[in-house]
Amino acid sequence: MSHDSRDHGPHRVGQVKEVTSLANPIVKDIKALSLKKSRDETRSFMAEGLKLVIDALDLGWNIKTLVYSKAAKGKPQVEQVAAKTVAKGGLVLEVSEKVLSAITRRDNPQMVVGVFEQRYTPLREILPKPGETYVALDRVRDPGNLGTIIRTADAAGASGVILLGETTDPFSLETVRATMGSVFAMPLAKTSPADFLRWKKDAGVSVVATHLAGAVDYRTINYRAKPIVLLMGNEQQGIPDDLAREADALARIPQEGRADSLNLAIATGIMLFEARRHLLTLDERA
Ligand code: SAM
């Protein structure tokens, strides 16, 4: 599969195409982005909603294709993003609602969808500075959890999310939806546990691993001394022993009641806001 504006011939680059047929090859390519295989092959992904697309362009993400419904035609903001897409050599498609529904697999689709190039930050380029907080996720499986964590990390002022081992795809439709746009704001790295531990040695960070058997109350940790990496475990298995052994602290969130553990995204949220409590103020967004 080849979803890339260059593959459709130079005469199409930068033009607005009207498409109403689901059999259109470009539409087929975009639809295929719901499959990980196609996302991996094309290194692209889909994001829904005009605001998201505007934010992504403002943050410098490369747009390959802009798709909008006929109903959105003529809206000044849509015209602006269409012009920006054309200026960057992307493709602009004006489509029927039926096509948008098929692309996004929704009955009531957003009027605008962008296809963007995926972006990972190489771990070696992450050089943590004082006051920075990162989240490292060991084999996260659930797309909703990952999206919620990316959104929460963004909201807490974290500096990046590091994915360890085999994880769910951060660029799946479900994860991107759950990030509510934060996928464009939060640097993402992916690596193996071994490379993460090698990076940790030189990065000057303190790794706080969260563990149901942790001996340390998460509220008693000094989060100010060094940049912090909050290491969170897999939904089913938690953190494996070899990773836990390398952590600087094993933190636990005290619990009551019948639940064995907290949901991964909730536990990450609690840790993030505690680790950054001294840095977050109400007037920051004023
Ligand atoms: N059965 C798993 C286990 O034994 O670890 C439960 C994993 S829990 C659903 C997913 C992750 O959330 C854990 O690996 C840990 O990182 C974090 N977590 C959940 N509840 C926690 C708590 N009370 N204290 C510390 N971390 C917790």
Side-chain angles (χ1 to χ4, degrees), residues 150-201:
I150 292 170
R151 178 182 180 185
T152 309
D154 182 22
S159 301
V161 173
I162 302 165
L163 304 172
L164 305 183
E166 274 295 304
T167 70
T168 190
D169 183 4
F171 297 111
S172 70
L173 207 47
E174 202 181 341
T175 302
V176 170
R177 270 179 196 153
T179 72
M180 298 291 286
S182 292
V183 70
F184 294 114
M186 191 51 24
L188 288 176
K190 74 175 169 187
T191 189
S192 65
D195 283 348
F196 170 72
L197 291 177
R198 271 191 282 277
W199 170 82
K200 170 197 181 298
K201 287 205 166 62

Side-chain angles (χ1 to χ4, degrees), residues 57-125:
L57 290 174
D58 284 348
L59 288 167
W61 284 69
N62 291 333
I63 189 161
K64 290 182 159 190
T65 308
L66 177 78
V67 186
Y68 64 80
S69 74
K70 284 199 167 57
K73 188 180 182 177
K75 288 188 190 292
Q77 282 185 310
V78 175
E79 297 290 327
Q80 273 167 25
V81 285
K84 273 194 185 171
T85 305
V86 170
K88 285 171 181 264
L91 198 64
V92 180
L93 301 185
E94 188 185 306
V95 302
S96 58
E97 190 164 330
K98 181 185 72 181
V99 169
L100 260 182
S101 282
I103 287 174
T104 58
R105 295 162 185 265
R106 276 187 191 245
D107 287 341
N108 292 306
Q110 298 262 5
M111 287 199 293
V112 176
V113 167
V115 176
F116 291 90
E117 274 173 26
Q118 295 184 9
R119 192 188 279 177
Y120 285 103
T121 303
L123 190 60
R124 63 173 184 284
E125 287 179 15

Side-chain angles (χ1 to χ4, degrees), residues 210-212 232-236 238 251-253 255 261-262 267:
T210 56
H211 206 288
L212 299 186
M232 310 299 300
N234 167 270
E235 289 95 333
Q236 272 78 43
R252 179 151 48 106
I253 305 166
Q255 287 185 218
S261 64
L262 295 165

